Structures are given as structure tokens and as C-alpha cells.
Amino acid sequence: GQILTSGGTGVAPTFQAAAAGGADTSLSNLSATGEQRVCQAWVRFNGTGTIAIHDSHNVNSLTDNGTGNYNVNLDQSMANAFYSVSALAHQTVNSDERIRLNGTTTGSFELNNLSGDNVKHDTTNICAQVFGD
């Protein structure tokens, strides 16, 4: 029944009684600024053979553009194409494996899975998260 409250810079936080009914922690009550702090979409998928989503939020499909090249298609489009994407891949080729963001639109983003010598290759586990508005 208590919440941790900041006392400001240089002051230790304190516990205080929660307001009647408790704090509203629902995502629907966030301000526009707060909504940008919430992950807008995420996906974990298999990028080998017939590519497939393991689990996701706000991702409706994937497009296989060829070896190591994928489009992640969003269920609900972003407000603009200037959002942030973080992605990683399970290491299957060598320690220099990395994911490169190759472009964004309001409805999708393109990822390339690359080895250390910039050769595209498929991998079994790719994860990506989207933040923005």
C-alpha cells in the first residue's frame, strides 16, 4: 500500500501511503511523452529456412528478402520513420556477427544479419525492439 517517492536531488527517497485506490499504472493513462518510453513493438524470430515469428508484440509478419535480409512488418504503423530499433542475433557464424538496421518506414523496418566480413547470412534467433511514436 505504499509507493517510493523521490525527494529530489541529493535527498533520499521515502515510502509514502498510496492514494486512495492505489496508483494508476495502466499504459492507457500515460502522457504522449510517457508513451515514447514504452516499447512500441518487439519480435523474436527464426531467420533460417521458412522464417517464422517465435513471439511478438505489434508485429504482423516478416518478409524474407534473401539471405540474411529481413523486413519486420508492424501491425500498427509508427507516427513517423524516425523511431529507434535495437536488434541482436544469436551468434551462429563467428564472434563478429551483428545486425544492421538497413532502413525504416512507418510500417516496417529492414534488418541485415552480417558476419565480420560483411557477408549476409541467415541465423536462427533474431530479436528486435522498437521505441518511438
Side-chain angles (χ1 to χ4, degrees), residues 2-21:
Q2 292 190 325
I3 58 172
L4 186 61
T5 304
S6 170
T9 304
V11 178
T14 59
F15 283 98
Q16 298 180 359

Side-chain angles (χ1 to χ4, degrees), residues 40-41 58 74 76-81 83-84 105-107 130-133:
Q40 300 297 313
N58 195 28
L74 302 174
Q76 294 181 16
S77 294
M78 301 296 285
N80 59 61
Y83 51 89
S84 173
T105 68
T106 57
V130 174
F131 287 84
D133 54 21

Side-chain angles (χ1 to χ4, degrees), residues 62-82:
L62 303 168
T63 305
D64 189 345
N65 299 321
T67 302
N69 187 332
Y70 317 95
N71 270 36
V72 177
N73 304 303
L74 302 174
D75 191 36
Q76 294 181 16
S77 294
M78 301 296 285
N80 59 61
F82 302 107

Side-chain angles (χ1 to χ4, degrees), residues 89-132:
H90 173 60
Q91 180 179 342
T92 57
V93 174
N94 59 44
S95 61
D96 293 331
E97 185 172 345
R98 66 193 183 285
I99 293 286
R100 176 180 65 197
L101 178 64
N102 203 37
T104 58
T105 68
T106 57
S108 68
F109 56 94
E110 182 181 347
L111 299 174
N112 296 154
N113 188 47
L114 303 165
S115 61
D117 53 2
N118 288 324
V119 174
K120 294 178 191 173
H121 60 90
D122 290 342
T123 192
T124 55
N125 288 305
I126 299 174
C127 300
Q129 306 81 37
V130 174
F131 287 84

